[in-house]
Amino acid sequence: MFALVATGSPGGATTLAAASGARFGYGRSVPLILGIALALAGLVAVSGAGLATTLQTAPVLELSIKAVGSIYLIWLAARIGLAGPPMPMQSDEETPISLVGGVMLLMINPKAWAMALGVASSFSKLASGPILLSGLMALVFALSAYLSLTLWALAGGLAARALSADWHWHLFNGTMAVLLIASVLQLWV
């Protein structure tokens, strides 16, 4: 239940999935979704195996990851916010974020790091050892993220059907950008 709530709550990954679903449709958003889900699985697995302890002893490293990730997500929010409606010819030429791009986005997402580190310490007693804990957390979070991001991408695709005027797209993209920035700000407050 925790994994579903954590992966489904609004944040950087969910906002990107909704924006990608609106701009490219679900099918072309699957590589992004899969990349994020696989990267999250890897992150919680590594966290469960001991990364949480390492970062707690090196707070400057944790702060650096948070800062770099926040800057990148704010830059990405600006790109989303300034995007207009997809052009009929342009939409086939435009490329959605790839599987590797989804992995990279998740790896610099400060919310994902905070969640992975928190879950590793909160649920450390779920399994008899760190390897079993890592595998269990990776499986649960991969499936939860894939399901949650699929729902967000489908919701974005449904929203796109209602966006018939240019100003609708500007409003939608602006809203997605603001939500992405809000998800970054909540990590610093």
Side-chain angles (χ1 to χ4, degrees):
M1 186 57 80
F2 176 83
L4 282 172
V5 171
T7 59
S9 63
T14 55
T15 302
L16 291 172
S20 182
R23 194 152 194 93
F24 302 108
Y26 174 72
R28 292 181 70 196
S29 299
V30 168
L32 167 68
I33 293 168
L34 190 56
I36 291 171
L38 291 173
L40 182 59
L43 185 59
V44 296
V46 170
S47 185
L51 178 64
T53 305
T54 302
L55 286 179
Q56 287 170 353
T57 61
V60 75
L61 181 58
E62 187 175 358
L63 181 64
S64 299
I65 291 168
K66 190 173 171 180
V68 169
S70 295
I71 290 167
Y72 180 74
L73 290 174
I74 289 169
W75 173 81
L76 197 56
R79 288 199 54 208
I80 291 170
L82 296 173
M87 301 306 213
M89 284 193 223
Q90 181 185 11
S91 62
D92 287 337
E93 293 172 14
E94 276 186 299
T95 56
I97 298 172
S98 67
L99 184 132
V100 172
V103 168
M104 299 299 284
L105 285 166
L106 190 278
M107 295 311 292
I108 62 164
N109 184 334
K111 179 186 172 194
W113 279 85
M115 188 262 314
L117 296 174
V119 80
S121 58
S122 298
F123 295 101
S124 62
K125 305 255 188 260
L126 260 175
S128 59
I131 301 300
L132 184 58
L133 177 66
S134 296
L136 179 62
M137 288 190 335
L139 179 64
V140 168
F141 275 87
L143 294 174
S144 296
Y146 193 86
L147 174 64
S148 298
L149 295 172
T150 291
L151 293 175
W152 277 92
L154 290 171
L158 288 174
R161 291 184 179 154
L163 305 175
S164 58
D166 284 0
W167 73 269
H168 293 154
W169 278 99
H170 288 291
L171 181 62
F172 178 81
N173 291 338
T175 302
M176 292 294 104
V178 168
L179 289 173
L180 187 53
I181 290 171
S183 75
V184 171
L185 292 177
Q186 76 182 10
L187 294 169
W188 292 95
V189 177

